[in-house]
Amino acid sequence: MSQHSLETLSSSSFDIVIAGGGLAGLTLARQLRRAHPSLSVLIVDREKGPLPEATHKVGESSVELGSRYLETIGLRDYLVKNHIFKFGLRFFPGGGELPIHERMEIGPAQEPIVPSYQLDRGRFENDLRRMIVEEDGAVFLEGVKVENIELGTGGERHRALLSSGEMEREIDARWFIDATGRSAVLRRDLKLTRGSGHTAHSGWFRVKGRVDITAFSPNDKRWTEAAWAEHRWRSTNHLMGNGYWVWIIPLSSGNTSIGAVVHEPPHSFDKVRTLERTRAFIQEHEPRLYEILEGYEVLDFRTVKSYANNIARGWSADRWALVGEAGAFVDPLYSPGTDFIAFANSFTEEMIRADLAGEDLEVRARELSMQYRSLVSGSTDIYRRAAPVYGHPRAMHMKVYWDNFSYWSYPCQFYMQELYRLTGEKLTAVSLVGQRYVELSNYVQKMLAAWASLKQERPKGSFGGMPHFPSVLIDAHMNLRNELSPDEALEYMRSQLVLAEEIVSEIAIRVAFEVGDALLDAWIEQSELKTFNLRLSSARIASEPLRGLARRRALSEIERDLERTLGRGESNSSEGAVRERLAHLIVDDLGARVVQ
Ligand SMILES: Cc1cc2nc3c(=O)[nH]c(=O)nc-3n(C[C@H](O)[C@H](O)[C@H](O)COP(=O)(O)OP(=O)(O)OC[C@H]3O[C@@H](n4cnc5c(N)ncnc54)[C@H](O)[C@@H]3O)c2cc1C
């Protein structure tokens, strides 16, 4: 389908060359041609189309930030028509041996307000290959490999050899973008890969036909007659246990993607090295799913060892950039792959805009690389210690509350309000807010991991949805629809940070009461609570035994929001023990912390 071949390519010089036409490269080509129609864009992929539907690649579930990105490059109508409108993320932590209706279900009960999509990657990339040529005027070469890249320095142009097997051709460009996915040609050449401190592996396959999780327990009325029962299949469903989770993602081609993710420790790559081992792992940990999958034809199998990494830098004043998995990858839980494509592609567009405007590229490249590295490492912290939490229903529920609140309040707003375009002091002000979110998030992850490993529990068939309106969590989600100026956005993030401080304090108090006197010291030590820069309200601790109206009156808006969402926690620890062990954090007046 490509308009050009190596033979018919009319020019050897381009403004921008993108190596790799996966999701990152294709969307970047579209974004750049739309933002800067005067620039010539060549995009080259080694694979010839048409690409297979269903079995092409992972990266099938998108969330709010990545979906917004796809919409901003004019794909909303296309996605609605050709892919699946997603019914949010849904988690079933712990209890793999139980019938599904006896597990805890965490997920939306209603259609999410801010849309996201389930993507069939083969179908999407086939369509994007056509669209970027026909609608956007990019030049696309398929079945052609990019080799021998010579990066120019200073004002020099970059050179690369294109090879189709039968023919070779040299091209040059002002900008060179590496979008070669895990081949990561530039990252490897320039030795830019950095560890992320997170070791996890995955094995995945697609099965023919739809796997509807509601049909797993056809005889339980509470399960099958829930208002959202008929929509569950459109969610990204996660069946979870200690150190692992299994995804079930529907594809618009009518098939289903199944994948197992294992954290090391406790599980090694060996568990997902082959299809047989991945299936054996599912049989051992998720026997109900295994039985159901036995009735399906398996279409393919892929695996990836130790998928997470960070990078030293992703943008250079010498006019090259790394996007998509050619840059960094965090973790697939919460489906943030497309989010990071949105960040890296938009940072690249910002660099090219600055280049056209004659601005100082050194500073921009440094700032954007730093922002990206912080976003990757802050995001990785969410997963690094999460292994025990995946098997602990109520700790996972708390994690989902916090992770959603912080995701919607900081990275989503940072991207959606285009704060990456800020520079100098304004960018520093935003970064300071981001740093505190990361710090708070680390506290939450440590407290929950320690609770989950010290005091395991089995699920009781229950539903943990989003709180009903009005709620600070729902507000954070709805506010994604707002358009704010940079100053308004900073103001908003700071006001959300005040709420975030209180949410984390409330999580600390709830978990302190959960663990019980005998485990309090171990929990404090394992979660490193002594090092936390956090304030806990004395009044909140005093209100723990209250019930009914007296309790509702005593709790703050945030404390009530968590209680309405998570239910009342167990008061296993005595007030005296909590006060004594957490004395260094307890204050009479919580006040508001202000990050300037
Ligand atoms: C286990 C797992 C699960 C995931 N699940 C999700 C999810 O649910 N949601 C989500 O958003 N993300 C998910 N991701 C991440 C997602 O897969 C990536 O974000 C996305 O696929 C990256 O796209 P890309 O364009 O960077 O790379 P790719 O899609 O791999 O594209 C790279 C392209 O470069 C081409 N190429 C390579 N070398 C050359 C060369 N030398 N010359 C020319 N062409 C070349 C290849 O043919 C390929 O088409 C997941 C990742 C993993 C590991």
Side-chain angles (χ1 to χ4, degrees):
M1 59 121 280
S2 70
Q3 205 180 33
H4 295 280
S5 65
L6 267 190
E7 293 83 356
T8 62
L9 201 58
S10 57
S11 171
S12 296
S13 286
F14 294 87
D15 294 312
I16 301 156
V17 166
I18 302 173
L23 189 56
L26 290 165
T27 49
L28 179 62
R30 185 168 173 91
Q31 180 177 12
L32 292 176
R33 285 287 305 163
R34 292 181 144 228
H36 309 287
S38 64
L39 298 182
S40 57
V41 176
L42 170 70
I43 171 164
V44 184
D45 198 280
R46 66 184 174 193
E47 270 195 70
K48 252 194 155 70
L51 306 165
E53 291 202 338
T55 58
H56 184 47
K57 285 176 187 162
V58 270
E60 296 151 324
S61 161
S62 70
V63 278
E64 289 87 343
L65 195 162
S67 299
R68 173 69 63 87
Y69 170 68
L70 298 175
E71 291 178 357
T72 59
I73 56 170
L75 294 171
R76 186 184 158 83
D77 290 347
Y78 163 79
L79 290 169
V80 170
K81 263 194 222 131
N82 296 284
H83 296 270
I84 293 173
F85 210 77
K86 179 170 154 180
F87 197 59
L89 298 167
R90 196 165 294 278
F91 305 95
F92 298 87
E97 72 291 355
L98 298 173
I100 192 81
H101 65 274
E102 289 180 24
R103 299 175 77 167
M104 182 177 200
E105 176 182 15
I106 304 168
Q110 289 157 339
E111 205 70 60
I113 298 155
V114 179
S116 57
Y117 307 91
Q118 307 288 21
L119 308 168
D120 183 308
R121 283 289 296 271
R123 176 174 291 187
F124 197 19
E125 289 185 20
N126 280 328
D127 292 338
L128 278 171
R129 283 178 173 206
R130 180 183 47 75
M131 285 189 250
I132 59 157
V133 173
E134 292 174 7
E135 296 174 13
D136 305 315
V139 179
F140 177 64
L141 293 177
E142 61 179 9
V144 174
K145 205 168 170 197
V146 180
E147 295 174 343
N148 300 353
I149 303 151
E150 285 174 34
L151 292 180
T153 52
E156 288 168 359
R157 292 175 74 80
H158 309 300
R159 301 189 177 283
L161 189 70
L162 304 187
S163 164
S164 66
E166 293 112 40
M167 187 181 172
E168 288 186 343
R169 188 154 169 185
E170 199 179 89
I171 47 124
D172 63 77
R174 181 166 173 80
W175 278 88
F176 184 88
I177 316 296
D178 182 5
T180 56
R182 287 187 176 265
S183 301
V185 289
L186 272 195
R187 164 153 64 81
R188 287 174 205 272
D189 272 6
L190 301 177
K191 302 198 173 12
L192 296 173
T193 308
R194 295 294 178 273
S196 68
H198 174 41
T199 308
H201 323 286
S202 179
W204 64 91
F205 51 95
R206 280 72 171 202
V207 294
K208 197 166 180 178
R210 179 137 297 148
V211 177
D212 179 0
I213 196 160
T214 293
F216 286 17
S217 272
N219 301 322
D220 185 83
K221 283 207 150 106
R222 186 188 61 82
W223 172 257
T224 55
E225 290 179 6
W228 57 95
E230 62 176 308
H231 303 295
R232 276 194 193 99
W233 68 272
R234 287 191 289 119
S235 297
T236 298
N237 285 295
H238 305 75
L239 306 184
M240 316 177 82
N242 185 24
Y244 79 87
W245 54 275
V246 178
W247 77 69
I248 306 173
I249 302 177
L251 304 174
S252 57
S253 48
N255 301 308
T256 305
S257 173
I258 308 283
V261 168
V262 294
H263 282 216
E264 180 168 353
H267 307 291
S268 69
F269 174 60
D270 238 25
K271 302 280 182 189
V272 292
R273 184 188 289 278
T274 61
L275 175 62
E276 289 65 37
R277 286 179 191 218
T278 304
R279 285 172 66 110
F281 185 84
I282 294 175
Q283 185 175 24
E284 183 185 347
H285 296 275
E286 294 289 339
R288 306 274 165 166
L289 174 65
Y290 178 82
E291 277 167 30
I292 283 161
L293 291 180
E294 280 208 303
Y296 286 83
E297 180 190 343
V298 175
L299 301 173
D300 68 331
F301 176 75
R302 301 270 174 89
T303 188
V304 61
K305 185 177 181 184
S306 198
Y307 50 62
N309 72 281
N310 205 336
I311 49 174
R313 62 194 169 118
W315 291 269
S316 163
D318 285 332
R319 301 178 317 280
W320 54 257
L322 315 179
V323 299
E325 281 191 345
F329 183 68
V330 174
D331 193 277
L333 187 86
Y334 299 141
S335 320
T338 312
D339 293 6
F340 278 90
I341 289 177
F343 279 126
N345 283 5
S346 301
F347 288 13
T348 303
E349 189 280 316
E350 165 60 13
M351 280 293 288
I352 290 170
R353 183 209 58 75
D355 185 25
L356 287 173
E359 293 173 14
D360 180 353
L361 292 188
E362 281 290 348
V363 177
R364 279 280 62 196
R366 222 182 10 255
E367 286 174 337
L368 290 167
S369 290
M370 203 189 71
Q371 289 300 318
Y372 185 78
R373 280 177 50 78
S374 309
L375 286 161
V376 170
S377 72
S379 195
T380 309
D381 285 345
I382 295 173
Y383 312 102
R384 196 181 289 137
R385 294 184 190 82
V389 180
Y390 294 162
H392 193 288
R394 289 182 311 128
M396 184 66 198
H397 197 189
M398 236 181 244
K399 177 174 167 60
V400 169
Y401 183 103
W402 164 257
D403 291 345
N404 272 335
F405 180 85
S406 57
Y407 170 67
W408 292 330
S409 299
Y410 187 77
C412 280
Q413 291 291 347
F414 180 82
Y415 168 74
M416 291 177 186
Q417 312 305 340
E418 299 191 0
L419 298 186
Y420 52 86
R421 296 203 196 273
L422 295 176
T423 182
E425 279 176 17
K426 288 208 165 177
L427 183 62
T428 307
V430 173
S431 305
L432 280 176
V433 175
Q435 278 167 24
R436 182 61 182 160
Y437 269 106
V438 170
E439 210 166 50
L440 289 174
S441 190
N442 263 315
Y443 297 164
V444 173
Q445 312 305 335
K446 286 177 181 173
M447 290 189 289
L448 296 182
W451 173 26
S453 35
L454 286 166
K455 207 168 177 189
Q456 281 127 34
E457 66 180 30
R458 282 167 62 79
K460 300 182 191 110
S462 58
F463 177 67
M466 294 272 277
H468 292 294
F469 192 78
S471 149
V472 288
L473 189 59
I474 300 287
D475 286 349
H477 190 228
M478 304 243 288
N479 288 338
L480 297 180
R481 298 180 305 182
N482 298 346
E483 266 183 45
L484 304 174
S485 70
D487 286 342
E488 288 167 341
L490 178 58
E491 199 50 41
Y492 172 73
M493 284 168 152
R494 282 184 175 145
S495 65
Q496 288 297 94
L497 189 53
V498 173
L499 305 182
E501 298 274 356
E502 205 184 328
I503 291 172
V504 179
S505 302
E506 175 60 10
I507 288 175
I509 292 171
R510 285 180 69 105
V511 182
F513 276 111
E514 284 279 354
V515 293
D517 288 1
L519 290 176
L520 254 181
D521 285 332
W523 174 68
I524 288 169
E525 198 187 317
Q526 273 194 30
S527 54
E528 300 170 0
L529 213 94
K530 290 242 156 72
T531 63
F532 288 9
N533 172 13
L534 199 64
R535 286 177 290 190
L536 309 183
S537 151
S538 176
R540 164 65 184 91
I541 293 171
S543 70
E544 184 61 12
L546 298 179
R547 307 206 150 261
L549 191 60
R551 184 174 176 87
R552 279 204 296 285
R553 284 202 176 125
L555 295 182
S556 71
E557 189 192 345
I558 300 261
E559 291 155 2
R560 276 201 308 273
D561 206 53
L562 270 102
E563 190 148 307
R564 281 194 310 139
T565 314
L566 307 174
R568 181 158 183 178
E570 291 176 15
S571 297
N572 297 315
S573 311
S574 62
E575 185 185 332
V578 170
R579 279 193 185 281
E580 187 201 322
R581 308 300 212 296
L582 302 182
H584 63 295
L585 301 179
I586 297 173
V587 293
D588 286 335
D589 177 14
L590 217 45
R593 182 194 299 268
V594 180
V595 174
Q596 287 300 344

